[in-house]
Amino acid sequence: MNYRRLFVIAVVLNLALAFAAYWFWQSSRGTKPAENAAVEHPPMEGFTPAPTESVPPILAPVELSPERMQSIGVRTGRVEYKTINSEIRAMGTVEVDERRVAYVQTRYPGWVKDVFVNATYQFVRKGNPLFTIYSPELVASQQEYLLAKANAGRLGQSSVEGVSAGADTLLRSARERLLQWSLSEKDISKLETSGKPLTEFTFASPVSGYVVERMVLPNAYVQPEMRLYSIADLSTVWVNAQVFQQDAGKLKTNAACRTPCLDGGTVVTDAD
């Protein structure tokens, strides 16, 4: 009885394993469509499907309080035809035109005596006296010129070859040195008339404009590398404005400026 029961159990297990192997083999090949499954067929010739009606979206009104509209910058206006003027408002700083600035410096060292222009933003005209200066080197050069002139007068009629020409060469060199040190023809003529060197030389303004920088003081020692005055012509100035990037394309060269721009001036930019 035990052998018979074991035989039946072995047969059942074999059948179960065979069924499981068959089911696994069918699954690996892919499932077949069911008999009752819907099969998609191509549309019939001459048949047009009915259009599907689209449902319009539902629009909900949005209401904003006056405070909220003011905080986000909403403005309303009447719809009308008119010419639109693109206006750009920008903050800027006024600066001196670099092409209209002149520096005052001496070509020789010396001591400042009298200062006539002693305040910043004081207006001066070209040729107006700025200060007087005493320079030992300038005095020595004047004495050399007077000596060369006296020698040229005495040796001008010399019969020795080259003496007269050498005296004239020394005189021209001494005169050229005075001109290089900013002495005018008028000062040289005064030196020749008096026969004595000028101990104090008056330094005049080279241009007309406003003094924007002053470094000269009475009794101060100055040298050629020192900047004593900065004089600027303020008839034309620069305005460096900060414009947003989205407005840069609206800028044009020589665009007219409205009243806030220095009494209706002209804006000159590098933008095209």
Side-chain angles (χ1 to χ4, degrees), residues 84-102:
I84 299 178
N85 294 325
S86 181
E87 180 177 322
I88 300 176
R89 295 177 178 266
M91 300 294 294
T93 56
V94 180
E95 296 184 3
V96 177
D97 188 349
E98 297 177 357
R99 300 165 298 183
R100 298 175 179 267
V101 180

Side-chain angles (χ1 to χ4, degrees), residues 71-135:
S71 63
I72 63 178
V74 176
R75 294 187 300 176
T76 60
R78 183 178 179 181
V79 179
E80 57 182 350
Y81 289 98
K82 65 178 182 179
T83 303
I84 299 178
N85 294 325
S86 181
E87 180 177 322
I88 300 176
R89 295 177 178 266
M91 300 294 294
T93 56
V94 180
E95 296 184 3
V96 177
D97 188 349
E98 297 177 357
R99 300 165 298 183
R100 298 175 179 267
V101 180
Y103 298 140
V104 177
Q105 294 175 277
T106 63
R107 298 184 180 181
Y108 42 82
W111 282 267
V112 177
K113 292 297 183 179
D114 299 325
V115 178
F116 304 107
V117 179
N118 54 4
T120 310
Y121 301 112
Q122 182 176 347
F123 180 77
V124 294
R125 297 187 181 277
K126 182 177 181 179
N128 287 358
L130 298 176
F131 59 91
T132 59
I133 186 173
Y134 167 73
S135 174

Side-chain angles (χ1 to χ4, degrees), residues 23 25-34:
W23 180 82
W25 179 69
Q26 290 290 340
S27 300
S28 63
R29 294 180 59 186
T31 57
K32 295 182 179 181

Side-chain angles (χ1 to χ4, degrees), residues 5-23:
R5 183 178 300 174
L6 292 175
F7 177 77
V8 172
I9 293 174
V11 171
V12 172
L13 291 175
N14 290 331
L15 291 175
L17 290 174
F19 179 77
Y22 177 76
W23 180 82

Side-chain angles (χ1 to χ4, degrees), residues 46-67:
F47 175 76
T48 303
T52 304
E53 296 182 359
S54 60
V55 180
I58 300 176
L59 302 179
V62 178
E63 295 183 0
L64 298 176
S65 62
E67 294 79 6

